[in-house]
Amino acid sequence: KDINQTNPLGMGGRLAEAYGNLLREMWGGEYTVVCPTDFKRKIGAYAPQFAGFQQQDSQELMNFLLDGLHEDLNRVKKK
């Protein structure tokens, strides 16, 4: 797998796995409705500002998500 679970700047691969699971559920054809509860929980665990149900800036969420995916999928093992 390409998930880097040892990157100290990453989230142990948990964000990338949750995102992958969400995409599989959305596009797999098995479900007509998908609730991203696990994905939201993983984001909230690493970014408390997204843990609740308050409205947040979508640009901040995308920035956090892309940075987290970048670090979880980074192939460089030593920094």
Side-chain angles (χ1 to χ4, degrees):
K1 290 199 170 200
D2 290 323
I3 296 178
N4 186 346
Q5 298 176 337
T6 61
N7 185 349
L9 300 175
M11 298 166 204
R14 289 181 285 273
L15 182 63
E17 289 174 358
Y19 184 68
N21 290 338
L22 176 63
L23 290 180
R24 274 191 291 281
E25 288 177 3
M26 287 173 54
W27 299 107
E30 184 177 350
Y31 305 106
T32 57
V33 176
V34 175
C35 184
T37 307
D38 184 53
F39 179 65
K40 184 182 180 317
R41 190 176 301 121
K42 293 290 191 287
I43 288 178
Y46 292 100
Q49 69 266 30
F50 300 117
F53 293 99
Q54 300 293 324
Q55 185 171 349
Q56 298 295 329
D57 185 14
S58 59
Q59 183 177 356
E60 288 180 25
L61 174 64
M62 287 303 297
N63 186 30
F64 174 80
L65 175 60
L66 292 175
D67 185 51
L69 289 174
H70 169 76
E71 294 299 341
D72 277 356
L73 300 174
N74 193 341
R75 291 183 178 182
V76 176
K77 298 293 183 183
K78 292 184 180 180
K79 292 192 176 197

